Amino acid sequence: MTNNPSFGQQIKLAARYAFPHTIPIFAGFWFLGITYGIYMNVSGFNFLYPLLMSLTIFGGSLEFVAVEMLLSSFAPLQTLVMALMIQARHLFYGIAMLDRFKGTGLKKIYLIFGMCDESFSINCSIKPPKGIDQGWFMFFVTLFNQIYWVSGAALGGLLGSLISFDTEGLEFVMTAMFVVIFLEQWLKERKHYTAVIGITVSSVCLLLAGPDAFLLPAMACILLLLTIFRKPIEKAGETT
């Protein structure tokens, strides 16, 4: 007789093993999610908007930018291009995870949809021990991280509608978030190729196109340069 765990036991084992790995993500996702929910409320949306957007978009930076898109004039093409540019890094994540997603069955659909930076980092770097199904492990890592973000966004939307406080300057949270992301990337890199490309291209496009029209050409040029110089950037990353 074999001691192979049943289907239900496999799920429980994978969930228990995955949960501790997502605890560090919880604090960051809840803080940013609550801030995002409050920001949505301050911008004139009730809590259902951050709840539904975090469920369907599940892309932190894109969701913050989407607030301005919703408040701006109807421009579907520009919105599509902006969304593709902001989330373009997931193309490389997806390529890197092709082998790991093999054999996961229908779970692959959710794993592709729910892949974010944090879930990618855990699922790419951690190999579950024998007896724990890797597909279910990756599924629960992705699910737990999305639950943290969705619950934080919904809670922030509710708090924003229930608590009265001075929200002046709260919209600066998006700028602060991107500054922190940039600084973390700068500290992690030994050679700052990506940072230099981002700063240089953005500055040039800002001078040429102005503050109202520089974002799309800047992101397009950055994506192009990162694609062209992908190999030397990856090689520099391996030496860190």
Side-chain angles (χ1 to χ4, degrees):
M1 294 182 63
T2 60
N3 294 322
N4 291 333
S6 65
F7 179 73
Q9 289 174 326
Q10 286 182 4
I11 294 177
K12 289 180 181 179
L13 287 171
R16 288 175 182 173
Y17 186 74
F19 178 68
H21 293 287
T22 66
I23 291 176
I25 312 300
F26 170 73
F29 268 26
W30 243 48
F31 175 77
L32 280 175
I34 290 173
T35 305
Y36 166 67
I38 295 174
Y39 178 46
M40 284 286 287
N41 182 266
V42 170
S43 301
F45 302 95
N46 65 45
F47 81 98
L48 289 175
Y49 280 86
L51 172 62
L52 293 175
M53 289 175 66
S54 57
L55 275 170
T56 55
I57 299 176
F58 191 38
S61 53
L62 178 58
E63 288 180 51
F64 275 96
V65 174
V67 179
E68 295 299 324
M69 294 179 182
L70 290 172
L71 295 173
S72 303
S73 57
F74 183 64
L77 182 58
Q78 183 178 358
T79 300
L80 174 62
V81 173
M82 177 78 76
L84 290 174
M85 292 295 180
I86 293 175
Q87 300 297 97
R89 66 188 184 280
H90 289 95
L91 294 172
F92 302 104
Y93 291 171
I95 293 173
M97 296 299 290
L98 284 176
D99 288 336
R100 285 184 179 262
F101 285 174
K102 285 182 179 178
T104 55
L106 293 176
K107 295 187 290 293
K108 183 189 296 184
I109 299 173
Y110 178 67
L111 290 172
I112 293 171
F113 162 77
M115 184 165 51
C116 62
D117 297 5
E118 293 75 11
S119 296
F120 169 79
S121 178
I122 295 173
N123 289 333
C124 187
S125 60
I126 296 177
K127 184 174 179 61
K130 186 178 180 181
I132 295 179
D133 183 80
Q134 183 172 349
W136 280 114
F137 167 76
M138 295 189 294
F139 175 86
F140 281 110
V141 166
T142 306
L143 179 63
F144 287 144
N145 285 341
Q146 186 173 19
I147 289 174
Y148 303 151
W149 178 258
V150 172
S151 59
L155 180 59
L158 287 171
L159 290 175
S161 60
L162 296 176
I163 302 176
S164 298
F165 55 91
D166 185 8
T167 58
E168 184 178 355
L170 185 64
E171 62 276 5
F172 185 72
V173 68
M174 187 170 69
T175 303
M177 180 182 70
F178 284 118
V179 170
V180 170
I181 292 173
F182 172 80
L183 290 176
E184 287 183 346
Q185 188 70 21
W186 180 274
L187 292 173
K188 282 195 301 183
E189 289 183 333
R190 186 175 179 180
K191 296 184 178 180
H192 308 293
Y193 293 142
T194 56
V196 171
I197 289 174
I199 292 174
T200 304
V201 171
S202 299
S203 300
V204 171
C205 290
L206 179 62
L207 290 173
L208 295 177
D212 295 327
F214 85 99
L215 190 57
L216 285 180
M219 297 187 74
C221 292
I222 290 172
L223 180 60
L224 178 63
L225 289 174
L226 290 179
T227 303
I228 293 173
F229 297 105
R230 179 184 172 188
K231 288 186 177 180
I233 290 173
E234 289 179 345
K235 187 175 180 181
E238 292 172 357
T239 61
T240 57

